[in-house]
């Protein structure tokens, strides 16, 4: 199947305005559906939990477009496809296959061990308290405050920037770069060019800074690996590995915290049960990741050989998106009420952090941050409530990121 083939494709909403509804409509069409991504990129979308899990674990599904995407050679002929280069036109764990993937993961994984993550806990708690003090001052006298801007965003941003030694003067540029990559509402060549320009400016500046001023941080560690053995980590791999781990360590936790806050404020009975100790915070985090995963769909994977799903064949060389949101809402796996947020259901088998060798290495840090910020917020402000109607909350403009543009609240009744 080439881009010029004429088959019916479900057009994915680039704004992600109704990801649950879109997931349900796709599921009604079958276990895997031909779709059109922003800019007209053809792909396949798994629609259920079991199908997605099988495809993630299938060794005949690759992440390397240079080896296994049959449309890769002609990507330059489609200016509106340029946005995808921030995801597949890079060389890191997210876009490599087999031995290269294992090599890059092995280099980065030790930096996110349970032991190292635990050493960050005290710092996460201290930053959380600082941010809650600022939030309290901003929300005094009943003023509306944005929990995303005041807590969910700066907490993981500060922690990941400290972990990677990002200097203060590059923090805002780094945040804007990640936001631009996540925004899939604009497939224009101009937006794609801006993203590539930012990648080529912000990250080299970080590498140059840490090369000149080495410290006890993960960027310095990766630079040392590159300098001591270029066969293990090239200049290009260093650049794009930093893009991946900084971006994933920031954006996913922002949405996790924001989504959990909104879910609990929408379900005061469950919030009361959490406060009473009847439901644990771990269960809140897992249910949030299942119903409202920080990443709804992740581009792209590629069929190495023809792959049969039910009575459908995904041809070798075709692209596949990783549909975490659809999997988490699958009634065949989670029951008829799969689309309902219910922290008391106590399931933790969601795929939102991946699985197996493709499990997110930053998941433990994201959990520490969420499990620190959420109890602290609701303990400090027990009367907090949404300051807008639920239907006034706005989804971020992306079919990839799954979160709210703002989370406006009043801290006291």
């Amino acid at each position: 199947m080439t881009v010029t083939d004429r088959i019916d494709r479900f057009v994915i909403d680039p704004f992600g305005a109704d990801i649950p509804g879109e997931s349900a409509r796709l599921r009604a069409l079958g276990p895997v559906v031909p779709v059109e991504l922003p800019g007209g990129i053809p792909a396949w979308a798994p629609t259920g939990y079991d199908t997605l899990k099988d495809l993630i674990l299938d060794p005949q599904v690759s992440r390397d477009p240079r080896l296994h995407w049959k449309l890769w050679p002609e990507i330059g002929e489609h200016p509106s496809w340029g946005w995808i280069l921030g995801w597949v036109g890079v060389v890191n764990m997210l876009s490599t296959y087999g031995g290269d993937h294992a090599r890059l993961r092995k280099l980065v994984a030790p930096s996110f061990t349970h032991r190292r993550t635990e050493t960050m806990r005290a710092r996460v708690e201290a930053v959380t308290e600082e941010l809650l003090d600022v939030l309290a001052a901003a929300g005094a006298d009943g003023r509306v405050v944005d929990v995303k801007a005041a807590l969910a965003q700066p907490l993981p941003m500060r922690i990941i920037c400290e972990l990677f030694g990002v200097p203060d003067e590059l923090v805002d540029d780094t945040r804007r770069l990640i936001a631009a990559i996540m925004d899939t509402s604009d497939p224009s060549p101009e937006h794609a060019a801006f993203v590539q320009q930012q990648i080529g400016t912000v990250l080299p500046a970080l590498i140059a800074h840490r090369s000149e001023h080495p410290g006890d941080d993960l960027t310095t560690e990766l630079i040392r690996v590159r300098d001591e053995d270029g066969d293990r980590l090239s200049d290009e791999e260093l650049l794009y590995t930093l893009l991946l781990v900084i971006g994933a360590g920031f954006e996913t936790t922002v949405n996790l915290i924001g989504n959990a806050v909104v879910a609990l404020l929408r379900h005061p009975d469950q919030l009361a049960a959490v406060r009473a100790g009847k439901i644990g915070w771990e269960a809140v985090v897992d249910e949030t990741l299942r119903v409202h995963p920080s990443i709804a769909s992740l581009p792209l994977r590629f069929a190495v050989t023809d792959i049969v799903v039910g009575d459908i064949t995904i041809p070798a060389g075709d692209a596949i998106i990783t549909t975490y949101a659809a999997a988490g809402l699958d009634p065949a796996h989670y029951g008829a009420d799969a689309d309902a947020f219910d922290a008391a259901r106590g399931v933790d088998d969601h795929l939102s952090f991946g699985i197996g060798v493709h499990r997110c290495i930053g998941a433990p840090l994201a959990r520490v941050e969420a499990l620190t910020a959420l109890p602290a917020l609701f303990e400090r402000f027990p009367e907090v409530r949404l300051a807008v109607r639920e239907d006034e909350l706005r989804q971020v403009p992306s079919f990839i990121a799954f979160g709210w543009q703002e989370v406006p609240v009043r801290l006291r009744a």
Side-chain angles (χ1 to χ4, degrees):
M1 186 179 305
T2 69
V3 72
T4 56
D5 287 331
R6 294 291 181 260
I7 67 171
D8 290 332
R9 291 188 176 275
F10 186 106
V11 178
I12 297 295
D13 177 12
F15 292 90
D18 181 18
I19 289 173
E22 186 174 77
S23 297
R25 291 190 292 275
L26 282 165
R27 192 175 300 111
L29 298 175
V32 62
V33 178
V35 298
E36 179 181 301
L37 304 184
I41 298 174
W44 293 86
T47 65
Y49 181 97
D50 290 334
T51 301
L52 179 61
K53 181 179 179 181
D54 289 346
L55 287 171
I56 291 176
L57 295 175
D58 190 340
Q60 296 307 307
V61 175
S62 166
R63 289 185 171 190
D64 193 332
R66 294 161 292 276
L67 294 177
H68 299 120
W69 190 17
K70 65 187 177 187
L71 297 181
W72 179 251
E74 63 184 76
I75 194 168
E77 302 172 17
H78 304 279
S80 61
W81 293 13
W83 68 271
I84 200 69
L85 292 176
W87 295 96
V88 303
V90 296
V91 184
N92 55 36
M93 287 181 292
L94 203 62
S95 60
T96 48
Y97 176 69
D100 285 334
H101 175 269
R103 171 176 57 84
L104 292 173
R105 184 179 178 90
K106 187 176 180 180
L107 288 175
V108 179
S111 301
F112 290 91
T113 61
H114 177 75
R115 180 187 61 79
R116 186 157 196 166
T117 299
E118 283 302 309
T119 66
M120 296 293 294
R121 186 180 295 275
R123 183 60 185 149
V124 172
E125 292 172 351
V127 173
T128 298
E129 288 305 311
E130 290 178 27
L131 295 173
L132 291 178
D133 288 342
V134 174
L135 184 65
D141 303 322
R143 291 191 297 268
V144 175
V145 290
D146 179 5
V147 168
K148 178 178 179 178
L151 177 64
Q153 196 169 70
L155 173 60
M157 191 65 187
R158 284 178 60 175
I159 296 301
I160 203 70
C161 285
E162 289 180 11
L163 198 58
F164 281 88
V166 179
D168 291 344
E169 61 269 23
L170 288 178
V171 169
D172 285 343
D173 289 339
T174 303
R175 176 182 53 77
R176 282 191 290 267
L177 168 60
I178 303 307
I181 292 175
M182 289 290 178
D183 184 351
T184 60
S185 66
D186 183 2
S188 70
E190 291 77 16
H191 180 74
F194 170 76
V195 170
Q196 293 303 312
Q197 184 270 333
Q198 289 295 294
I199 291 174
T201 301
V202 177
L203 296 174
L206 169 60
I207 294 169
H209 176 84
R210 279 300 155 210
S211 296
E212 186 174 350
H213 307 285
D216 183 19
D217 58 81
L218 302 188
T219 299
T220 298
E221 287 187 17
L222 290 173
I223 291 171
R224 186 177 299 118
V225 171
R226 178 203 62 182
D227 293 345
E228 292 177 355
D229 188 355
D231 291 338
R232 295 176 64 208
L233 188 67
S234 67
D235 286 335
E236 183 181 35
E237 290 169 342
L238 169 62
L239 181 79
Y240 291 128
T241 294
L242 288 172
L243 176 66
L244 171 62
V245 292
I246 292 175
F250 163 55
E251 183 69 23
T252 54
T253 311
V254 172
N255 290 337
L256 170 56
I257 295 172
N259 293 345
V261 169
V262 170
L264 289 173
L265 294 181
R266 281 175 158 176
H267 299 88
D269 55 333
Q270 293 185 50
L271 177 56
V274 172
R275 284 175 165 154
K278 298 176 181 178
I279 298 175
W281 284 106
E282 285 274 6
V284 171
V285 167
D286 280 318
E287 185 69 351
T288 301
L289 288 166
R290 182 189 72 81
V291 176
H292 213 117
S294 303
I295 299 296
S297 295
L298 191 63
L300 287 171
R301 297 173 189 247
F302 312 96
V304 177
T305 60
D306 287 356
I307 297 175
V308 178
V309 180
D311 59 355
I312 299 169
T313 298
I314 302 175
D318 274 16
I320 304 166
I321 58 174
T322 312
T323 48
Y324 300 117
L329 299 173
D330 183 5
H333 188 80
Y334 290 111
D337 65 342
D339 59 346
F341 180 89
D342 180 8
R345 78 172 73 227
V347 299
D348 60 1
D349 65 343
H350 58 80
L351 302 174
S352 301
F353 280 137
I355 190 172
V357 297
H358 298 294
R359 183 168 175 79
C360 174
I361 60 175
L365 180 58
R367 284 187 174 277
V368 166
E369 291 171 339
L371 292 170
T372 300
L374 292 169
L377 172 70
F378 285 101
E379 181 178 347
R380 182 82 169 265
F381 308 110
E383 298 178 15
V384 62
R385 68 191 191 282
L386 287 173
V388 296
R389 297 194 313 271
E390 293 181 19
D391 60 2
E392 293 179 309
L393 292 168
R394 299 181 299 156
Q395 161 72 24
V396 295
S398 177
F399 81 93
I400 297 174
F402 198 9
W404 306 108
Q405 293 188 41
E406 305 94 12
V407 183
V409 303
R410 298 187 189 276
L411 300 177
R412 291 178 176 81

